[in-house]
Amino acid sequence: HVQLVESGGDSVQAGGSLRLSCAASGLTVRRYCMAWFRQAPGKEREGVAAIYSSDGSAIYGDSAKGRFTISRDASKSTVYLRMNSLKPEDTATYYCAATPSRYYCPPPSSARAHDYRYWGQGTQVTVS
């Protein structure tokens, strides 16, 4: 049974920072592409960042480049998203996702929900 549980969402002021966590069980993060998506009301789910299972290399969508950092702690089966310089347009529900892959992750700018097999329930980030 694969389970992804996000935490760390909060209401923050513009310019602030948050760190989101995704605790994974039933999988080994070194064997999966792990990613963060977000979805604002009335909008499609958007890829934010992904991390390769093979070596921990990270790739980002345009909205995250230069502000967000995805990382992992494989020993804890946890993936993080550090978000700096938050803007009101970052307001969304943030989801952790995983799909079996050691050497490839869909580029966040073009990734779709269909590309990922497992999903968490989301954590709300509100920036005002």
Side-chain angles (χ1 to χ4, degrees):
H1 175 67
V2 173
Q3 185 172 337
L4 305 176
V5 180
E6 304 96 334
S7 62
D10 204 352
S11 296
V12 299
Q13 192 171 344
S17 299
L18 286 173
R19 189 184 73 164
L20 308 183
S21 298
C22 172
S25 61
L27 61 80
T28 301
V29 295
R30 286 191 172 100
R31 297 177 181 268
Y32 287 75
C33 176
M34 307 292 295
W36 288 95
F37 284 72
R38 68 185 186 185
Q39 189 165 21
K43 302 292 185 180
E44 293 186 348
R45 194 162 296 189
E46 173 190 18
V48 176
I51 188 163
Y52 288 88
S53 62
S54 58
D55 61 3
S57 297
I59 50 177
Y60 298 94
D62 290 341
S63 64
K65 185 74 172 180
R67 298 190 297 129
F68 296 179
T69 303
I70 187 171
S71 62
R72 72 179 184 189
D73 185 340
S75 67
K76 298 180 179 180
S77 297
T78 301
V79 176
Y80 304 96
L81 184 69
R82 180 69 183 184
M83 304 186 293
N84 295 323
S85 302
L86 285 163
K87 306 173 182 178
E89 51 263 47
D90 295 318
T91 296
T93 301
Y94 284 72
Y95 297 91
C96 181
T99 201
S101 179
R102 291 181 176 176
Y103 303 109
Y104 177 78
C105 292
S109 295
S110 59
R112 302 180 68 176
H114 180 266
D115 296 325
Y116 287 84
R117 183 172 298 176
Y118 303 110
W119 291 85
Q121 293 299 308
T123 186
Q124 179 66 37
V125 172
T126 302
V127 185
S128 61

